[in-house]
Amino acid sequence: SGRLALAHGLALFDGTYLGGITNSGTIAATATATTGPGAATATGVLLCGCVGPFSSGIANSGTIRATAQGRSSAKALGASLNSETLSGGLTNGGTISATANATNAALAIGIGIGFEGPLSLFSGGLTNSGTVSASAIASGSGFATATGIVVLASSLGGNITNSAGTIAAIAQATSAIAIGLHVETDTIFAGNIVNSGTISAAVTASGGTGTAYGMDVSGNGMSGTITNSGTVTASANQGTALGIRAVSFTGTIVNSGTIGPGGMVVAGST
């Protein structure tokens, strides 16, 4: 605690790692900054962008938790994976959570792939059968952003699957954005997005703007299939709420489940 606070539960920096990461216990990071500028950052599992190709995979059946409390700003990431080439994939059957609370600015991401560093290739896929959650609250006249899972990569192969799991994002502030699942590529997305569970985004905005997307897919080369047999919902007390937003998307959406209030905006729409 103090003016500035930084906490990691597990962090991998420079080098090449031949083994993967497997967690069946608890990995937790808590950062509290209550004086001065009051900026707090907490990351449960960090894979630095300085790490060489990481191909052995990450599996969680336990708990990974990040909690940040800042007087001014707070940033919490349950898992932040930023190796330039990430081909081992990620499997979660446990709980991964991020909670950020501050006065001016709060950011929470349950799982961030390529969010804090350039990721040229993500080819191992992501499967969630557990719970991934993000909660961001800015109590003053501030801004809050919460994303359950975000994948940012130049090239994306392999499927992103939510298999009877839960992905949830909640943001509350003067102006707020919440996204359940956000996927964005620069060149090609050769995989599919499959949901048989629950993906949700909820925003409470007090006087500013509110934006909630259950699923947000954008970028070049988005030609895969989005299949939903579960539930995708978005809610905002004011502003915009869409179940699925797909921009520059030339693939197919197959829905036999529920896509909540606001429905879908597809292919080149904003």
Side-chain angles (χ1 to χ4, degrees):
S1 64
R3 296 166 59 87
L4 301 174
L6 173 65
H8 297 133
L10 171 66
L12 301 184
F13 291 99
D14 300 305
T16 299
Y17 296 86
L18 300 179
I21 298 173
T22 301
N23 176 56
S24 58
T26 298
I27 299 174
T30 301
T32 304
T34 55
T35 61
T41 300
T43 306
V45 174
L46 172 65
L47 185 60
C48 173
C50 56
V51 171
F54 191 88
S55 58
S56 297
I58 298 170
N60 176 58
S61 58
T63 298
I64 299 174
R65 180 175 63 249
T67 305
Q69 175 75 49
R71 180 180 180 183
S72 178
S73 64
K75 177 181 177 182
L77 298 99
S80 182
L81 311 176
N82 307 288
S83 174
E84 184 177 350
T85 300
L86 186 62
S87 57
L90 186 152
T91 302
N92 176 54
T95 299
I96 300 176
S97 65
T99 303
N101 291 278
T103 301
N104 296 326
L107 169 68
I109 295 175
I111 298 174
I113 297 176
F115 178 76
E116 294 185 299
L119 187 65
S120 61
L121 174 65
F122 177 58
S123 61
L126 186 156
T127 299
N128 175 58
S129 58
T131 299
V132 179
S133 64
S135 173
I137 298 175
S139 58
S141 299
F143 192 86
T145 301
T147 306
I149 297 176
V150 56
V151 179
L152 307 176
S154 295
S155 179
L156 182 60
N159 293 336
I160 296 173
T161 303
N162 184 42
S163 178
T166 298
I167 303 170
I170 299 173
Q172 179 178 332
T174 299
S175 294
I177 296 175
I179 302 173
L181 172 64
H182 177 61
V183 180
E184 184 174 344
T185 64
D186 291 334
T187 57
I188 186 170
F189 177 29
N192 303 302
I193 298 173
V194 181
N195 176 53
S196 60
T198 300
I199 301 175
S200 65
V203 160
T204 302
S206 54
T209 59
T211 303
Y213 300 135
M215 189 183 299
D216 185 24
V217 180
S218 62
N220 298 317
M222 302 296 290
S223 59
T225 299
I226 298 173
T227 302
N228 177 55
S229 59
T231 300
V232 182
T233 62
S235 65
N237 68 321
Q238 58 188 49
T240 301
L242 294 172
I244 296 178
R245 175 181 181 263
V247 179
S248 300
F249 180 73
T250 58
T252 302
I253 296 178
V254 178
N255 179 48
S256 59
T258 300
I259 299 176
M264 296 183 289
V265 172
V266 182
S269 301
T270 58

